[in-house]
């Protein structure tokens, strides 16, 4: 960044009180280890996850239907369901496919809590807790009751594979300043200074877990006189847990929701507690570390499990787990003083690729060479969110929400890790909401919408690697349940690549019977190539795309009019009303099924030459299916139809809008390519209403942007930033009940409610769509780069740098003033001709590799 201090200062989430609940805490991570920092003074809690910690174990074969199936095999049951639909009995069809339900996915698990008791530090004077998004560090500063200033930093280092908590007293100064709580030092760069203060203190550090200990916290090394000449002491603890062998979702209605004792992940931690200061000592009693007389305390934590992510297996060697955790700890301790700089350089290198500045009307626009922030209220987040809800301009909140999504991606998804689940890698519950699984009828996909446009392509790799395993597991499911080639995944999955329909005969078909999870997920392989141009990656993962296409081709059915369709078909999690008022989910050829099928087959045909696909029978079948698949239609009320028949919606304001798939994340419907369908899509969003779950608001933001609706964008930004945990008396009156409104918690984490990370990540992607779109190609094949296609009037001036675009393009710089572009610079890795567009104005530009090209200005 050109202005490191300014850029760092502007990317801070601030709260002026310790966390009272988990969603008040701030998240940090390195892809493997996630930590939620509560920021307590006398009592600190850092809740720790490891992304490999899941209940259950690798599957021992394809999912088994609960039945009863009678004398038929599962594909025959599907045929019976089709016959029921043809006879006008959708509820009978639902009862048939409920027989094919196969249980549930497993649940993401917490690992340990790190707790610090520090009575002498109690106090709230000048308290400030800051998550610096640019550095990936949570810094807490305050004054104790005796006037002593304190500072605590918590970070998780990717290079060192370790969490580091540092707490120290600071020099007492006459008034708050650069080194004191409440001043600029609240989040100043760099580690906590060793021996900065003159207030030695006593602290107790302990580990807790929501699981029974397999190895209770035990001293692995004593070192109270580790380096007496330098006034340092340390002790090392080790501990281990066996995770549950089965966790059922709380909505399952089953007994024994959490089971221990079977095959399960074995997880270990190694923890070092270091005390700095003349005469400082550390000791262990009853599994608790007791520190005395230290001016600075550092806690270093590493983790290991027997879960091999690449293979999806458990090796079961407990001694190896303990040794790996200890080896990682020893490596971090070898140069602990250098860990903060390594962590910040690593995190900052990824975060610094993209910069965003938004200005409200009347504010000075950003100028070339000056990257300082626009006016930022000197208020904590909770107060700013309430002011924003009352209409006070604060564009910087949108900037923070945009960069927060990138921080969560950098912190939660790195090469070699599992993909982000419903809660990213942060979860305190043994039985989390919806098992914190991979919900693949929107949420997992949304998690990865911002990675490519946000120039974090390496953070996309965990999803692609997992898809390879999911596709392999889904082949048996496709064959046994559907009698089809290729692979299938239904609406839920987990670390073990569960692919069956969820439930034990009672789950609603509206979510359980949706065999298009693989079809949607395969688009991520396509998107990765469209953004990066990486032909090798496309070839590596082509089996994901090809297998999903084979499944579609084998499960399409011929309808009476000669077209192809799907049956039984559902529109994710939605119902329609039967004439007698009952709810039904199963039907024939829902719009979302047809849209996803067409989208996938289009991409197979387009990319087959790139990968050297030589299966002419496959390509002929793709062409034949594309000729016979119906496209979207406009219903009599002007909306884009969701169902094949004109039936009333059971929930007119439903949170899913899967039938708008080809608007976004698809690329086929926009006001230029399909104006009538785009207008119908906009009417659909209008009919859905202004409020929904947090993640749905983020999806609608991207949809409104793709439909070039600035007023809709404004309304959705406001709705997304609604503070769900504010006192209702502090908020303006609302038409929707509080329980029906999503938004964000005071920490800016997205609220379904409850917490789901997909909304944070979807918001980032949606805001990028507001600023630039590059999905369209003209009749001549030239890619269009559309600048500011849906800019709200609330942001008349601003600047964005570093976004990555389809076609291997990069938006080096885009600045605007009074709603008009004043400068746009593009770059590319290979020569490309683009059609740069702003409003109705167009200009064709040739972008050459290694030569940033000024397209405007």
């Amino acid at each position: 960044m050109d202005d490191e201090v300014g850029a760092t200062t502007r990317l801070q989430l601030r709260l002026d009180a310790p966390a009272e609940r988990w969603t008040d805490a701030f998240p940090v991570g390195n892809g493997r280890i996630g930590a939620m920092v509560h920021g307590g003074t006398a009592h600190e809690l850092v809740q720790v996850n490891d992304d490999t910690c899941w209940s259950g174990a690798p599957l021992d074969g394809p999912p088994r239907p609960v039945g009863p199936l009678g004398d038929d095999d599962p594909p025959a049951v599907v045929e019976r369901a089709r016959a029921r639909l043809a006879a006008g009995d959708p509820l009978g069809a639902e009862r048939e496919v409920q027989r094919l339900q196969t249980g549930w996915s497993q649940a993401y698990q917490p690992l340990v809590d790190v707790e610090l008791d520090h009575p002498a530090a109690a106090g709230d004077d000048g308290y400030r807790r800051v998550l610096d998004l640019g550095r990936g560090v949570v810094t807490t500063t305050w004054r104790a009751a005796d006037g002593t200033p304190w500072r605590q930093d918590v970070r998780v280092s990717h290079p060192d594979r370790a969490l580091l908590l540092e707490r120290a007293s600071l020099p007492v100064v006459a008034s708050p300043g650069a080194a004191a709580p409440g001043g600029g030092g609240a989040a100043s760069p760099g580690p906590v200074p060793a021996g900065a203060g003159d207030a030695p203190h006593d602290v107790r550090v302990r580990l807790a877990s929501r699981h029974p200990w397999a190895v209770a916290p035990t001293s692995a090394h004593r070192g109270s006189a580790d380096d007496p000449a330098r006034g340092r002491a340390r002790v090392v603890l080790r501990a281990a847990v066996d995770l549950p062998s089965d966790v059922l979702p709380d909505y399952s209605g089953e007994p024994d929701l959490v089971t221990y004792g079977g095959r399960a992940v074995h997880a270990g931690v190694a923890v070092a507690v270091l005390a700095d200061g003349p005469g400082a000592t550390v000791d262990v009693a009853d599994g608790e570390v007791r520190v005395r007389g230290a001016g600075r305390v550092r806690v270093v934590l590493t983790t290991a499990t027997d879960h091999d992510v690449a293979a999806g297996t458990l090796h079961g060697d407990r001694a190896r787990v303990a040794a790996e955790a200890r080896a990682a700890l020893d490596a971090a301790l070898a140069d602990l003083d250098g860990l903060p700089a390594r962590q910040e350089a690593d995190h900052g290198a990824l975060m610094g690729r993209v910069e965003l500045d938004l200005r409200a009307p009347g504010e000075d626009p950003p100028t070339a060479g000056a990257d300082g922030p626009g006016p930022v209220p000197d208020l904590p987040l909770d107060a700013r969110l309430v002011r924003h809800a009352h209409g006070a301009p604060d564009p910087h909140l949108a900037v923070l929400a945009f960069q927060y999504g990138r921080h969560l991606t950098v912190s939660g998804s790195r090469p070699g890790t599992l993909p982000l689940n419903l809660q990213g890698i942060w979860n305190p519950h043994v039985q989390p909401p919806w098992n914190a699984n991979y919900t693949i009828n929107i949420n997992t996909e949304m998690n990865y919408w911002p990675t490519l446009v946000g120039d974090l392509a390496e953070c996309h790799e965990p999803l692609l690697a997992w898809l390879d395993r999911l596709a392999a597991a889904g082949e048996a499911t496709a064959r046994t349940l559907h009698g089809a080639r290729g692979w299938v995944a239904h609406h839920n999955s987990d670390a073990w690549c569960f692919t069956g329909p969820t439930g034990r005969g009672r789950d609603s078909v509206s979510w359980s019977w949706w065999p298009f999870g693989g079809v949607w997920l395969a688009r991520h392989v396509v998107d990765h190539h469209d953004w990066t141009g990486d032909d090798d990656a496309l070839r590596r993962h082509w089996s994901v795309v090809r297998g999903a296409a084979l499944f579609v081709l084998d499960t399409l059915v011929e309808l009476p009019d000669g077209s192809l369709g799907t049956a039984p078909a559902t529109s994710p999690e939605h119902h329609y009303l039967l004439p007698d008022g009952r709810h039904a989910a199963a039907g024939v050829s829902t719009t979302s099924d047809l849209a996803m099928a067409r989208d996938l087959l289009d991409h197979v045909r387009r990319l087959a030459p790139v990968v050297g696909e030589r299966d002419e029978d496959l390509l002929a079948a793709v062409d034949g299916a594309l000729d016979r698949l119906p496209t979207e239609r406009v219903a009599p009320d002007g909306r884009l139809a969701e169902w094949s028949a004109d039936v009333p919606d059971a929930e007119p304001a439903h949170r899913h809008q899967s039938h708008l798939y080809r608007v976004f994340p698809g690329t086929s419907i926009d006001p230029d390519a399909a104006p009538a369908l785009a207008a119908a899509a906009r009417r659909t969003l209008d009919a859905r209403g202004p409020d929904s779950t947090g993640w749905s608001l983020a999806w609608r933001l991207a949809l409104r942007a793709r439909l070039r609706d600035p007023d809709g964008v404004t309304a959705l930004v406001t709705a997304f930033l609604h503070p769900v945990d504010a006192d209702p008396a502090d908020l303006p009156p609302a038409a929707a009940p509080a329980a029906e409104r999503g938004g964000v918690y005071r920490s800016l984490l997205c609220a379904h409610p409850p917490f789901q990370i997909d909304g944070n990540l979807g918001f980032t992607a949606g805001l990028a769509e507001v600023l630039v779109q590059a999905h369209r190609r003209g009749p001549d094949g030239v890619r269009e780069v559309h600048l500011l296609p849906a800019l709200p009037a609330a942001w008349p001036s601003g600047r964005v740098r570093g976004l990555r675009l389809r076609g291997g393009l990069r938006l080096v710089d885009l600045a605007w003033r009074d709603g008009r572009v004043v400068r746009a610079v593009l770059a590319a890795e290979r020569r490309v001709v683009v059609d740069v567009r702003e409003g109705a104005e167009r200009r064709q530009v040739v972008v050459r590799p290694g030569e940033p090209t000024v397209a405007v200005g």
Side-chain angles (χ1 to χ4, degrees), residues 556-567 588-589 594 628-630 644:
L556 289 173
V557 295
E558 184 172 13
L559 300 179
D561 64 358
S563 68
L564 295 179
T566 55
V588 175
S589 292
L594 299 182
R628 298 174 66 190
L629 279 173
S644 58

Side-chain angles (χ1 to χ4, degrees), residues 681-765:
R682 185 164 171 172
R683 292 190 188 99
T684 299
L685 291 174
D686 291 342
R688 285 293 204 245
D691 293 307
S692 192
T693 60
W695 62 262
S696 183
L697 295 172
W699 189 3
R700 294 176 188 184
L701 171 64
L703 290 164
R704 291 284 187 180
R706 191 60 66 80
L707 296 170
R708 303 178 203 153
D709 179 6
D711 291 340
V713 166
T714 300
L716 282 161
V717 169
T718 299
F720 182 82
L721 293 173
H722 165 69
V724 300
D725 51 2
D727 187 333
D730 294 334
L731 298 174
E740 297 178 11
R741 299 189 69 187
V744 294
Y745 296 103
R746 68 192 65 197
S747 63
L748 219 55
L749 288 174
C750 181
H752 182 291
F755 163 60
Q756 282 187 200
I757 202 170
D758 39 32
N760 289 108
L761 301 164
F763 181 90
T764 300

Side-chain angles (χ1 to χ4, degrees), residues 24 49 51 194 202 312 329 362 421 651 746 755 771 801 820 856:
D24 294 344
N49 290 95
D51 86 306
D202 298 347
L329 181 67
N421 62 60
E651 298 176 68
R746 68 192 65 197
F755 163 60
L771 301 176
R801 298 178 178 179
R820 296 301 307 269
V856 179

